[in-house]
Amino acid sequence: MSVISVTSTNEQGTAHAASAPLPLTVVVLTKNEERDLPACLASVADLAERVVVLDSGSTDRTVAIAQAHGALVRTHPFDGYASQRNAALDLLADPVLAAGLWVLFLDADEQLTPAGRAEIRAALAAPITDDTPTGYWLPRYNEFFGQRLRGGGWWPDEQLRLLRRDRAHYDTSREVHEVVVLGGPAAHLREPLIHHNYDTWGEFHTKQRAYAAHHARDLARRGVHPRPWTYVNQPLREFRRRYLTLGGWRDGRLGLQLALAMAYYEWHAHWRMRNVECGMGNGDLSRRGGSVPVPSSTESIPHSAFRVPQSLTLSVILVSRNTRELTLRCLASVEASLAGAGISWEAIVVDNASDDGTVAAVRQAFPDARVIASGGNRGFAAGNNLGLAEAHGEALLLLNPDTEVVGDAIPRLLDELAADPALGIIGPALRYPDGTVQESRRRFPTRLTPFLESTLVQHYWRRNRVLDRYYLADRPNDVRQDVDWLSGACLLARRAAVEQAGGFDENFFMYSEELEWCARLRAHGWRVAYEPAALVIHHEGASSAQAVPARHINFNTSKVRFYRQRYGWLYAETLRRFLLLTYVVQLAQESAKWLLGHKRPLRRQRIGAYLRVLRSGLRPSRPTPAGGGRRP
């Protein structure tokens, strides 16, 4: 009987712990929110020890509703969204108002789900250590007119809302879509907030006009000057970003309407910015509603090297070869990722003798980008070195043209690079277009690795200890971590590291150049990191796929070259002969299938490719251009 009694007591204690309020303060910003506030406060009623409503002068029943739900009400004149949230953090310095170190910001039209409350409980249950995140991102569902959106940037719409109040503040240089500056790492929760955005188009247009006014002041503050074509280009890019890049088409007619509306308000913001500029003088940044003060310094903002608009901070470098449409999509995704982030940047496109109109298309669609025609197909390493030589940024982003940046991936990588002075290179998580994981993390290879990796042997023996070690199969891919090297599809490098270690080795025409480069930077004491919170889609092999035999030749000759540098001539020669032997075996297999009449066009293509590989000898001294043709 005593055992039963103890079990019952434990169960009651567990149930009580699961429902007891957390040492957490929920802050809700309000102004005339009597319609939405009750549901918002009800969704956090059993979660937090303290609920604070920071009101901006409501004239309806907002304050009375807040007090009826037991919330503490404080007032503060509205001076921008970031300033309002900072005011809330300042109020929480008073222990009478604050409960614990954690604060959860909610808007009045947002609600937590029961699953979301449980997840927050689990996240805050552990004691705070040096490894505890200082903030948590929450995904957010946006509902327009009763419809939950799936594209257009409205999902997953992650918001950094659960914060250590002693380690966070808001960047007041951003009036719209305010940015949290954290003094530590952030993690991601899975359960979404529910955001009841708008019930009518009238509400939507009223809010978007207000956002456009704030956005205009942001642009003027950053020194952006509209040109005549801006009023056409920017709305078109915003429509393309919302409807195509971010998948607004998934939401049917409403997705199209919203993409068109957001394009219009992008035009409206730039048009208002023109009026703002006309009214500027003596520090006045607005013709209506008084002046908006410009911060006199950036001392309160960490990582200011990446947020000072007066100097160029980021150079984005693409090397293209007959990838016109992909290159345009890549540049559009970069522009979307950096839009409104307060980051000064430039785009440099190095074109390796494309004959598909890439150069003209880039110059027309992105007139501010610098296009360098290399005069021939000089390869990936040499092309990137041309771009690096022309770059002015303190951070250097090397992107394949067949990539698409997702959301705020670039600002996230920049913040990580700025926060860690010992970090030389950082890269994002890569995904295939269908959303599956594309592993980009690697350990340095051992002497056995090249005999297995990407060879006929791996085709028949996929899981083995050597390759599991090489691909970091012992580590989760959703955790930030230091690695030996990263795939070159997207690499953000620190200028100081590149200046010390040098650019790419141009003896590598294509492939293995990023392995050699990361090894060289690490030899100079710089670290390489993988950041899964940043996401990039990679249409792998779009350029090299134009010439299959050349891809095989370049990949394997680069492999032999790297291992000759690492382990010497005898080892590399053994590897070269082994690789040739695997192609002899594959040639025999394809020939047998051709004789049996199995998919003869495919077999004929592969036989031709393997014969070219064997004729090349896989000798690394004379690389073959990826675009095909004879070796120089």
Side-chain angles (χ1 to χ4, degrees), residues 209-422:
R209 280 193 293 270
Y211 280 151
H214 291 305
H215 186 32
R217 289 195 289 270
D218 279 343
L219 293 170
R221 182 181 289 116
R222 301 204 318 261
V224 176
H225 301 286
R227 300 174 182 178
W229 55 83
T230 300
Y231 304 109
V232 176
N233 286 351
Q234 287 300 119
L236 287 176
R237 289 174 184 175
E238 179 66 7
F239 175 80
R240 179 176 61 190
R241 183 177 79 91
R242 291 279 182 179
Y243 194 68
L244 298 178
T245 305
L246 298 178
W249 55 267
R250 296 189 185 97
D251 297 307
R253 180 180 178 182
L254 180 57
L256 177 61
Q257 291 173 322
L258 288 172
L260 290 169
M262 297 306 292
Y264 165 76
Y265 283 110
E266 186 70 17
W267 171 86
H268 188 67
H270 283 82
W271 184 256
R272 287 195 63 130
M273 179 178 61
R274 176 175 179 270
N275 295 333
V276 166
E277 287 184 321
C278 292
M280 287 179 67
N282 300 322
D284 185 12
L285 289 178
S286 176
R287 296 182 67 183
R288 301 176 184 176
S291 64
V292 178
V294 179
S296 59
S297 73
T298 56
E299 292 178 0
S300 63
I301 304 174
H303 326 328
S304 59
F306 293 97
R307 302 197 181 277
V308 181
Q310 289 79 12
S311 61
L312 187 65
T313 60
L314 172 66
S315 297
V316 180
I317 301 169
L318 283 77
V319 179
S320 62
R321 167 72 175 170
N322 290 331
T323 53
R324 180 182 61 189
E325 297 306 319
L326 287 171
T327 299
L328 295 177
R329 285 166 59 183
C330 178
L331 289 170
S333 72
V334 170
E335 191 173 61
S337 182
L338 291 168
I343 298 167
S344 185
W345 63 286
E346 65 176 352
I348 300 172
V349 177
V350 180
D351 188 74
N352 276 338
S354 294
D355 55 15
D356 65 346
T358 296
V359 170
V362 170
R363 285 174 174 163
Q364 180 179 1
F366 300 94
D368 293 332
R370 275 190 287 162
V371 181
I372 302 171
S374 67
N377 188 6
R378 300 182 58 176
F380 183 79
N384 270 303
N385 283 347
L386 282 175
L388 290 170
E390 294 293 323
H392 298 93
E394 291 302 311
L396 307 164
L397 180 63
L398 308 181
L399 269 179
N400 278 14
D402 58 353
T403 58
E404 291 183 67
V405 181
V406 177
D408 63 349
I410 298 177
R412 289 192 184 194
L413 292 175
L414 284 168
D415 282 344
E416 292 295 328
L417 190 70
D420 190 343

Side-chain angles (χ1 to χ4, degrees), residues 453-500:
E453 186 258 335
S454 297
T455 69
L456 183 64
V457 177
Q458 185 179 16
H459 180 75
Y460 292 103
W461 190 25
R462 294 184 179 276
R463 294 304 304 271
N464 58 77
R465 187 176 300 175
V466 174
L467 292 182
D468 282 352
R469 175 197 173 277
Y470 181 63
Y471 294 126
L472 288 106
D474 58 327
R475 293 189 195 173
N477 63 9
D478 59 352
V479 176
R480 188 188 184 281
Q481 56 198 271
D482 278 16
V483 297
D484 288 342
W485 68 284
L486 293 162
S487 165
C490 178
L491 297 174
L492 180 67
R494 189 185 303 274
R495 173 176 286 277
V498 178
E499 289 178 345
Q500 182 180 11

